[in-house]
Amino acid sequence: MAVMQTFYPKRILSASTAGDLLDGMTRSLETGAINILVDFQQVMFMDSTGLSALVVALKQVRQVKGRLALCRLNGQASMVLEHSGMDQVFEVYETAEDFARSLADSTDTSLAK
């Protein structure tokens, strides 16, 4: 099964917090956790800086052939993704378990080849 690291940003994903989230994801990639999930359950607000940090992380993850997904999007954060069209770029799941199943399915498929 593929290794997955989950991040749980709190309340606001903006200029004041996005750097810490991006740093954490970068450290995870450096230690070999190439599949990253960002759980938005507790995020009430995300601005363009928060979205930009996610885009930077997505590029980093793709460089190491990993996957970056978002789950439990709600309210304003979901609207930011939709209005920017980034909901078509990111993998978005209802729950962490859905992403874990997707990882397991993709691992099973690649093993069968």
Side-chain angles (χ1 to χ4, degrees):
M1 177 178 245
V3 176
M4 175 178 77
Q5 175 73 46
T6 304
F7 290 87
Y8 301 91
K10 305 273 193 271
R11 299 179 42 97
I12 298 172
L13 187 53
S14 67
S16 62
T17 60
D20 290 340
L21 178 63
L22 185 56
D23 289 345
M25 289 189 278
T26 301
R27 281 192 303 277
S28 289
L29 292 172
E30 289 169 351
T31 61
I34 63 169
N35 299 302
I36 295 177
L37 178 68
V38 182
D39 187 325
F40 273 77
Q41 182 180 20
Q42 296 182 36
V43 175
M44 299 178 346
F45 177 83
M46 177 174 65
D47 68 7
S48 59
T49 305
L51 181 57
S52 294
L54 293 174
V55 171
V56 169
L58 180 62
K59 289 178 181 179
Q60 291 175 345
V61 167
R62 286 182 173 170
Q63 285 178 342
V64 295
K65 309 248 186 292
R67 291 171 61 186
L68 173 68
L70 315 175
C71 76
R72 298 203 276 189
L73 284 162
N74 55 53
Q76 188 271 347
S78 179
M79 287 178 25
V80 167
L81 278 176
E82 288 174 22
H83 287 264
S84 66
M86 297 305 284
D87 60 328
Q88 301 300 310
V89 174
F90 287 97
E91 293 184 59
V92 179
Y93 294 88
E94 289 293 319
T95 66
E97 292 78 18
D98 292 339
F99 181 50
R101 269 192 295 281
S102 176
L103 286 174
D105 290 346
S106 65
T107 302
D108 291 345
T109 301
S110 64
L111 291 176
K113 290 182 181 178

